[in-house]
Amino acid sequence: MVEHQEIARAAAAHTVAPAGWLAWTILFLPLAAFLAITFLTRKSKLLSTSLAIGSMAIGLAATGTLLLHLLRAGEHAAYQYTVNWITLPGLAVEFGLLINPLSVLMSLVVTGVGLMIFLYSIGYMADDAAYSRYFAYLSLFAFSMLGIVLANNFVTLFMSWELVGASSYLLIGFWYDKPAAADAGKKAFLVNRIADFGFLAGILMLWSIAGNQLDPKTLNLIELEQRMPGLIAQWGVNLFSPLSIAALLIFCGAVGKSAQFPLHVWLPDAMQGPTPVSALMHAATMVAAGVYMICRVFFLFGEVPGALEIIAVIGGFTSIFAASMALVENDIKRILAYSTLSQLGTMVMALGLGGYTAGMYHLSTHAFFKALLFLGAGCVIHAMHSNNIWHMGGLKKAMPVTTALFFIGSLALAGIWPLSGFWSKDEILALAFGKCKILWTVGTVTAGMTAYYMGRVLCVVFLGEQRDHHAHPHEVPPVMYMPLIVLAIFSVVGGFIGIPSLLHHAKGVHVEFNKLVALISSAAAAGGLLLAFKVYGKQPQEDPFAVRFKGLTRLLTSKYYIDDIYGWLNTNIQQRTALVSAWVERNVIMSFLVNGTAKITGLSGSLLTKFQTGKVQAYALSLVAGIGILIYVGWRCIP
């Protein structure tokens, strides 16, 4: 039975338990840092850095303390801390936090990986004129993501969800004087608004069918989980029942935030932001929010027939779809972006197959090696002043530390034993092997493709001889590579951390280690790497794949023309619909209905003024005429 601990209500003050203070501290310290940097320390790099990094370091320490508290309390421990936020006639809204193994695990990922990225940013952004503004935005982003992680109800969750969207817009378009960065920020914001419209509609629909709309606990996650059997009995569980539709609409939010097909188009363009921002968004925060949200409300999706199957198919398709585009991409950050899309698809597929633990396990290990890879790419870009992998080459000589760390991250992403990616990926493939052979095949092929495109990056960027002889690459300072060393350590040992055991009591399918699946996936990964080293190990000056498969390369580099299709729809459908709507508004609604009504009223008034002369004789004449008319009508009509 879940233990509820509700404290710190506005109506009556209570002593907050130590765990409660820790939870509120984790959430609000980054917000305090954002406000302090914005209004007080903008001109001081040292103070701004100290506030931002200090808030994350304290948050990490507090989260570790909460983890120890939960381990002592038992595997089923869960605590809520709420305040009455809005109390109006007919409306009561709570702002609350939920502390349980899932939220603490995700908080560790956000604060731990986030802290490494914050530290790395000291060196990467050292010469940027908007240094303090950058750390202010990072702190706001961290606050928003922690709000999603710790929320105990849909209201708190959705507020934080939208704040993540707003802060990501600020960070993606951080260098707003670059048109591409400004456009990328707008694209991410608008695509997520489409998804969030569905998310909000789902929340409102769930609120309308869940019982007493005036009760602030109607959208409380634990309360909803406990009431699910009654709601299922009341509304039914077929795919078209209100409960099912609400669940699928809520899933729309995850499709946008975690960039699943067909709303994946914003994520590659988001690379226009600073590289540490890309690492933060792709490893520990924004794109993981959708996967985490599905886990958070897994009780809802698990009870709806067909919902998990839809989620699994979308995730599986996204994984192989995104991996295919990474095969020919030449921008090192965009390769990693497509990789993130693919890995998120794998996580979503696992959740659709019922693998709550497997999905969160891979999310956690992926955060380590994907942050390592993005920050490693940032080191390369910092040294070469280019994102194009074909402008690089031979960097192992000039950047030995970065090279070694990038190799570790690449092998972990490829799923090479015994690195962390092997264990978490294998749990998902073992799950798919037992549940759906088609999705297992998709996952295995994707694993081979992942190893191939990461092997391509390793060969082209780090091996051989330097292609651009005008560049003078050099190793980055310790403040940039020390966080990478920490992430590399967790990329190696992360698979042995007891993440599955921490979550094993949660709902979902338990998966045993499958030697056959592990052997096949390892063979696929090794084959992908060997093929990449065979094709690119000879250091060609142009991509042999692109030379040999021109048509396929054109299709992949055009991103299957999906952006073009969206552009055509926007220009020819949305814009023309907008023009027609504007014409109707201007010529029908405004000119005819609004202004026409006003003109009729004015003309009627002008006409009536003709009869209001102010002369008694005219009024008497009108009276006599009126009486005469009435007498005539009466005489003609009465038999």
Side-chain angles (χ1 to χ4, degrees):
M1 189 66 180
V2 177
E3 178 184 356
H4 295 265
Q5 185 175 358
E6 298 180 3
I7 54 179
R9 292 190 171 276
H14 299 285
T15 302
V16 180
W21 284 116
L22 290 172
W24 293 113
T25 298
I26 293 168
L27 176 62
F28 283 109
L29 264 185
L31 176 62
F34 163 72
L35 294 173
I37 295 170
T38 302
F39 296 107
L40 299 175
T41 68
R42 285 179 298 173
K43 296 182 179 180
S44 173
K45 285 187 175 182
L46 178 61
L47 286 176
S48 298
T49 305
S50 300
L51 287 169
I53 293 177
S55 69
M56 293 299 284
I58 295 172
L60 177 60
T63 305
T65 306
L66 276 181
L67 176 62
L68 295 175
H69 181 82
L70 284 180
L71 292 175
R72 288 195 299 266
E75 63 182 27
H76 296 288
Y79 303 95
Q80 292 191 85
Y81 305 95
T82 62
V83 294
N84 284 337
W85 179 44
I86 298 175
T87 303
L88 297 171
L91 178 66
V93 179
E94 288 186 340
F95 186 95
L97 311 182
L98 172 61
I99 303 301
N100 66 358
L102 176 62
S103 63
V104 169
L105 170 63
M106 192 65 189
S107 182
L108 281 173
V109 171
V110 173
T111 56
V113 176
L115 177 60
M116 296 300 103
I117 294 169
F118 277 43
L119 290 169
Y120 175 93
S121 298
I122 297 174
Y124 192 88
M125 300 296 290
D127 299 325
D128 197 281
Y131 182 91
S132 292
R133 176 166 62 88
Y134 170 81
F135 275 99
Y137 288 171
L138 281 189
S139 298
L140 178 63
F141 196 94
F143 163 72
S144 307
M145 185 63 197
L146 288 167
I148 293 176
V149 170
L150 300 174
N152 79 329
N153 63 76
F154 271 114
V155 175
T156 307
L157 175 61
F158 187 75
M159 288 171 51
S160 302
W161 193 270
E162 292 305 294
L163 274 174
V164 164
S167 51
S168 66
Y169 167 76
L170 296 173
L171 285 168
I172 294 170
F174 180 77
W175 290 317
Y176 55 84
D177 53 336
K178 294 169 51 181
D183 290 344
K186 288 185 287 187
K187 185 175 183 179
F189 189 81
L190 292 174
V191 171
N192 275 276
R193 296 293 66 70
I194 296 171
D196 292 354
F197 176 78
F199 187 29
L200 178 59
I203 293 173
L204 293 174
M205 191 169 183
L206 187 62
W207 177 65
S208 69
I209 66 178
N212 181 8
Q213 285 80 42
L214 304 183
D215 183 358
K217 296 191 180 303
T218 299
L219 292 177
N220 182 283
L221 300 179
I222 288 182
E223 295 283 341
L224 280 171
E225 183 174 8
Q226 292 176 341
R227 294 173 56 196
M228 279 301 295
L231 293 175
I232 291 170
Q234 179 182 359
W235 296 99
V237 289
N238 65 79
L239 186 58
F240 300 102
S241 70
L243 194 60
S244 302
I245 295 172
L248 292 175
L249 285 171
I250 288 171
F251 174 62
C252 287
V255 172
K257 276 288 187 290
S258 288
Q260 298 298 286
F261 179 87
L263 298 181
H264 63 283
V265 293
W266 67 269
L267 191 58
D269 291 343
M271 297 301 96
Q272 292 293 335
T275 300
V277 169
S278 303
L280 189 63
M281 291 175 59
H282 285 245
T285 53
M286 182 176 177
V287 297
V291 175
Y292 176 79
M293 187 269 286
I294 297 174
C295 292
R296 192 61 134 171
V297 296
F298 197 76
F299 62 85
L300 179 61
F301 298 111
E303 301 295 341
V304 174
L308 288 182
E309 288 80 359
I310 292 172
I311 292 171
V313 170
I314 290 176
F317 178 78
T318 302
S319 66
I320 195 167
F321 172 77
S324 67
M325 290 183 282
L327 298 175
V328 298
E329 180 59 58
N330 296 323
D331 184 311
I332 188 170
K333 285 176 64 177
R334 291 175 72 94
I335 293 171
L336 298 178
Y338 284 123
S339 171
T340 300
L341 275 174
S342 179
Q343 298 303 307
L344 289 168
T346 301
M347 298 172 207
V348 171
M349 181 183 76
L351 295 174
L353 293 171
Y356 174 108
T357 302
M360 278 303 298
Y361 188 18
H362 196 52
L363 185 153
S364 303
T365 59
H366 175 263
F368 300 133
F369 53 74
K370 187 50 64 70
L372 170 60
L373 288 170
F374 265 110
L375 298 184
C379 294
V380 171
I381 294 168
H382 185 270
M384 296 297 297
H385 304 289
S386 174
N387 289 27
N388 193 320
I389 60 174
W390 295 99
H391 295 168
M392 302 172 189
L395 294 186
K396 67 175 183 178
K397 300 174 183 177
M399 306 178 70
V401 176
T402 299
T403 301
L405 296 172
F406 201 94
F407 262 75
I408 292 172
S410 299
L411 296 178
L413 173 59
I416 300 300
W417 183 89
L419 304 180
S420 61
F422 167 82
W423 301 102
S424 56
K425 178 204 66 179
D426 181 74
E427 183 154 342
I428 294 174
L429 292 178
L431 171 67
F433 187 79
K435 300 272 286 187
C436 178
K437 292 296 192 296
I438 294 176
L439 290 179
W440 168 72
T441 303
V442 168
T444 303
V445 172
T446 301
M449 293 167 69
T450 302
Y452 175 83
Y453 63 68
M454 289 312 301
R456 173 177 179 257
V457 171
L458 294 176
C459 289
V460 174
V461 174
F462 295 100
L463 304 183
E465 299 298 325
Q466 184 177 329
R467 293 180 178 82
D468 184 358
H469 298 289
H470 297 289
H472 302 284
H474 53 83
E475 192 60 84
V476 295
V479 72
M480 291 176 67
Y481 69 67
M482 289 304 294
L484 271 69
I485 292 175
V486 175
L487 291 168
I489 291 171
F490 280 98
S491 297
V492 173
V493 305
F496 301 100
I497 298 174
I499 295 170
S501 62
L502 179 65
L503 297 172
H504 81 275
H505 68 280
K507 290 187 177 183
V509 179
H510 179 64
V511 184
E512 298 291 343
F513 183 77
N514 188 313
K515 292 182 180 179
L516 175 62
V517 171
L519 286 173
I520 294 174
S521 64
S522 295
L529 282 174
L530 290 174
L531 180 60
F533 277 82
K534 178 178 176 59
V535 173
Y536 298 98
K538 298 178 182 179
Q539 294 301 302
Q541 294 302 307
E542 57 181 340
D543 194 338
F545 185 97
V547 173
R548 185 168 184 178
F549 303 102
K550 293 181 180 179
L552 180 58
T553 300
R554 191 180 307 112
L555 176 67
L556 296 176
T557 54
S558 299
K559 298 171 283 189
Y560 295 94
Y561 301 102
I562 291 177
D563 282 71
D564 296 323
I565 293 171
Y566 286 168
W568 183 89
L569 290 172
N570 180 68
T571 302
N572 295 279
I573 305 299
Q574 188 271 335
Q575 287 295 93
R576 291 183 180 180
T577 302
L579 290 173
V580 171
S581 299
W583 185 90
V584 170
E585 180 186 21
R586 184 169 55 252
N587 296 285
V588 178
I589 297 176
M590 294 300 297
S591 296
F592 181 71
L593 295 178
V594 177
N595 294 335
T597 302
K599 288 178 180 179
I600 291 172
T601 303
L603 289 172
S604 301
S606 299
L607 182 61
L608 289 172
T609 59
K610 305 299 182 183
F611 299 95
Q612 300 296 322
T613 62
K615 297 179 179 180
V616 177
Q617 299 91 328
Y619 296 155
L621 180 61
S622 299
L623 179 61
V624 172
I627 293 173
I629 291 171
L630 290 174
I631 292 173
Y632 175 78
V633 172
W635 176 70
R636 297 289 293 177
C637 295
I638 297 175

